[in-house]
Amino acid sequence: MIRSAAIGIGAALWTAMSVIPANSQATPSEPIRIGVLDDMSGMFADQQGMGDAVAARMAVSDFGGKLLGRPIEVIHADHLNKTDVGAQIARGWFDQQNVQMITGLGNSAVALAVQSISRDKNRIQMTTSGGTAELTGKSCSPNGTHWVFDTFALAKVTGSEAVRRGANSWYFITADYAFGHALEQDTAKIVKEAGGTVAGVSRYPGGSSDFASYLLRAQSSRAKVIGLANSGSDMVNAVKQANEFGNVAGGQQLVALLAFTTNLKEAGLAATKGLIFTEAFYWDQTEETRAFSKRFAALHHNRPPTSLQAGTYSATLHYLKAVAAAGTLDAATVMRKMRELPVNDFMTKNGRLRQDGRLIRDMYLLQAKSPEESKGEWDLAKVIATVPGEQAFRPMNEGECPLVKQ
């Protein structure tokens, strides 16, 4: 039901865009527009999608709904996980709808393509749902920020913390595309640096539903850990089948290199119990996170936010605060102000935005609860380690961002 509605909204948006005349200069009464560009109908929709749009609108409402004397409007669209579609929507938003900032961007290829466009159009991009660390590496932009997680931090926190706990031999099951490769390679490097070993790798076409052969190879490798370098429904299917084929019963630890509460809910705690993964936020951490999550759930199908959705609120609110403090929509001026202002909200304390666009914030190692531990429908995980942002994210001088003076 959610996905079909998103498709319909996306079609309506295209129709609206086709009749609005091109106009790069806003009139004094024209709304200040923020665009949420995400997977609204595919396998990542539950963890980002309309929840990101809901979060952005919450931030606008909490800010007061107006900026520089003008109303603020949040629009959204579905990039269908296609780079060309995402790029076309972004260009249309900048050229025809005078969108000032785009957020969400839950697909690494789309995020990279749009970051190039936002740089050329001198508009701001705040990636909250895309993962590639390349956004703050060689492809960094003076107008781009990377707000929630990235592939480097997932690898660093998950790999090093797992090995520290004795999980020192790994077998990877990897989605055979750039994002999966980055997760696998970065984690393998961290595991080896921490004194662990890699027993083998199986790569599969993204969107597969049958993991039997890969799990049997992992089982025969006798590795202590099965590292799942994938996400969304692929990760859910792999976890379910690892239980069916006896990998978990045989003593192998499942480690998801990218997981969200929506994935745990879909797979069920009977399958995910003991699963280790890294997150930027968990709804049940503090009184602040619980209060925000209660508000969000009331607006979004009675479910708490994922880290991506919480991060979209955080990024949008920080952008609005920076524009208000700068007194202008000029991208360069607003970016300077975003770097000056610390990030303090329910999910991030004393965060800071680096020159390469990376938000430095704490990351958390989580473990899925057993059915017996859970006290409610969304009581799915517990925080077992906190890693300071300076330790979690790639050092700025190692990313090869051309904006950074070496």
Side-chain angles (χ1 to χ4, degrees), residues 312-393:
T312 299
Y313 175 98
S314 174
T316 303
L317 187 62
H318 193 69
Y319 169 77
L320 297 175
K321 289 178 179 178
V323 172
T328 178
L329 291 170
D330 175 70
T333 306
V334 173
M335 288 297 300
R336 281 196 297 273
K337 189 59 66 174
M338 283 204 288
R339 292 189 177 95
E340 290 174 11
L341 297 174
V343 180
N344 279 300
D345 53 41
F346 65 91
M347 74 174 293
T348 303
K349 299 302 178 187
N350 298 314
R352 64 179 182 86
L353 189 62
R354 292 193 316 202
Q355 189 64 35
D356 61 355
R358 177 67 254 170
L359 177 67
I360 300 302
R361 55 173 324 281
D362 292 350
M363 297 291 285
Y364 309 98
L365 190 70
L366 272 64
Q367 186 170 41
K369 290 185 173 182
S370 68
E372 295 74 27
E373 290 179 282
S374 176
K375 294 180 173 62
E377 181 182 9
W378 289 96
D379 182 24
L380 302 172
K382 54 190 175 185
V383 177
I384 59 175
T386 299
V387 179
E390 293 291 352
Q391 297 176 26
F393 292 98

Side-chain angles (χ1 to χ4, degrees), residues 141-406:
S141 163
N143 296 357
T145 73
H146 204 180
W147 208 257
V148 179
F149 74 101
D150 64 29
T151 50
F152 182 95
L154 295 178
K156 178 69 179 296
V157 175
T158 311
S160 59
E161 287 294 320
V163 172
R164 191 170 69 83
R165 286 167 166 74
N168 56 7
S169 59
W170 289 57
Y171 189 96
F172 288 95
I173 296 178
T174 303
D176 195 11
Y177 52 85
F179 179 72
H181 292 177
L183 280 177
E184 174 208 310
Q185 291 163 12
D186 289 349
T187 307
K189 182 174 182 289
I190 295 296
V191 166
K192 291 173 183 176
E193 289 175 349
T197 60
V198 175
V201 176
S202 288
R203 297 189 178 98
Y204 70 92
S208 295
S209 59
D210 184 1
F211 290 86
S213 61
Y214 316 123
L215 289 165
L216 291 173
R217 288 176 209 160
Q219 200 171 61
S220 64
S221 76
R222 301 187 181 277
K224 293 180 181 179
V225 175
I226 299 178
L228 301 174
N230 54 15
S231 184
S233 57
D234 283 10
M235 190 278 288
V236 169
N237 287 332
V239 168
K240 287 180 176 179
Q241 291 173 41
N243 281 269
E244 294 169 6
F245 286 100
N247 296 77
V248 176
Q252 288 186 307
Q253 168 75 57
L254 296 181
V255 173
L257 298 179
L258 181 58
F260 302 96
T261 50
T262 48
N263 305 139
L264 302 186
K265 183 70 165 60
E266 183 180 354
L269 291 183
T272 62
K273 62 182 179 181
L275 178 78
I276 290 175
F277 60 105
T278 295
E279 262 285 30
F281 163 87
Y282 180 58
W283 73 269
D284 197 21
Q285 284 176 276
T286 67
E287 287 300 324
E288 280 187 284
T289 62
R290 286 187 285 273
F292 175 80
S293 298
K294 183 177 180 180
R295 293 174 54 214
F296 178 90
L299 298 171
H300 191 60
H301 309 289
N302 294 315
R303 57 173 59 187
T306 64
S307 60
L308 309 183
Q309 294 157 349
T312 299
Y313 175 98
S314 174
T316 303
L317 187 62
H318 193 69
Y319 169 77
L320 297 175
K321 289 178 179 178
V323 172
T328 178
L329 291 170
D330 175 70
T333 306
V334 173
M335 288 297 300
R336 281 196 297 273
K337 189 59 66 174
M338 283 204 288
R339 292 189 177 95
E340 290 174 11
L341 297 174
V343 180
N344 279 300
D345 53 41
F346 65 91
M347 74 174 293
T348 303
K349 299 302 178 187
N350 298 314
R352 64 179 182 86
L353 189 62
R354 292 193 316 202
Q355 189 64 35
D356 61 355
R358 177 67 254 170
L359 177 67
I360 300 302
R361 55 173 324 281
D362 292 350
M363 297 291 285
Y364 309 98
L365 190 70
L366 272 64
Q367 186 170 41
K369 290 185 173 182
S370 68
E372 295 74 27
E373 290 179 282
S374 176
K375 294 180 173 62
E377 181 182 9
W378 289 96
D379 182 24
L380 302 172
K382 54 190 175 185
V383 177
I384 59 175
T386 299
V387 179
E390 293 291 352
Q391 297 176 26
F393 292 98
R394 180 178 60 202
M396 188 163 61
N397 61 0
E398 295 179 8
E400 300 185 59
C401 169
L403 302 173
V404 176
K405 294 180 180 179
Q406 302 299 326

Side-chain angles (χ1 to χ4, degrees), residues 9-199:
I9 292 167
L13 176 62
W14 276 111
T15 302
M17 285 174 59
S18 67
V19 298
I20 294 176
N23 177 19
S24 60
Q25 299 299 318
T27 62
S29 60
E30 183 182 355
I32 294 173
R33 294 191 179 91
I34 293 170
V36 178
L37 183 56
D38 262 327
D39 176 358
M40 299 285 180
S41 58
M43 68 179 186
F44 306 121
D46 285 347
Q47 62 205 39
Q48 47 180 275
M50 285 302 299
D52 279 2
V54 168
R57 292 189 177 106
M58 287 178 69
V60 169
S61 177
D62 288 351
F63 185 76
K66 287 192 174 182
L67 183 61
L68 305 181
R70 292 159 55 186
I72 309 165
E73 180 182 356
V74 175
I75 62 176
H76 64 270
D78 188 350
H79 57 48
L80 304 175
N81 288 303
K82 296 181 179 179
T83 306
D84 57 342
V85 172
Q88 187 175 0
I89 292 171
R91 287 194 186 94
W93 276 357
F94 291 143
D95 293 342
Q96 298 174 316
Q97 301 233 53
N98 207 31
V99 166
Q100 299 296 322
M101 187 269 278
I102 292 181
T103 188
L105 297 156
N107 177 294
S108 291
V110 174
L112 287 167
V114 174
Q115 182 150 290
S116 177
I117 296 166
S118 63
R119 180 174 57 242
D120 293 344
K121 300 291 184 180
N122 198 29
R123 301 297 169 88
I124 289 174
Q125 174 167 326
M126 304 186 77
T127 302
T128 55
S129 298
T132 178
E134 186 65 16
L135 287 162
T136 56
K138 292 180 180 179
S139 298
C140 69
S141 163
N143 296 357
T145 73
H146 204 180
W147 208 257
V148 179
F149 74 101
D150 64 29
T151 50
F152 182 95
L154 295 178
K156 178 69 179 296
V157 175
T158 311
S160 59
E161 287 294 320
V163 172
R164 191 170 69 83
R165 286 167 166 74
N168 56 7
S169 59
W170 289 57
Y171 189 96
F172 288 95
I173 296 178
T174 303
D176 195 11
Y177 52 85
F179 179 72
H181 292 177
L183 280 177
E184 174 208 310
Q185 291 163 12
D186 289 349
T187 307
K189 182 174 182 289
I190 295 296
V191 166
K192 291 173 183 176
E193 289 175 349
T197 60
V198 175

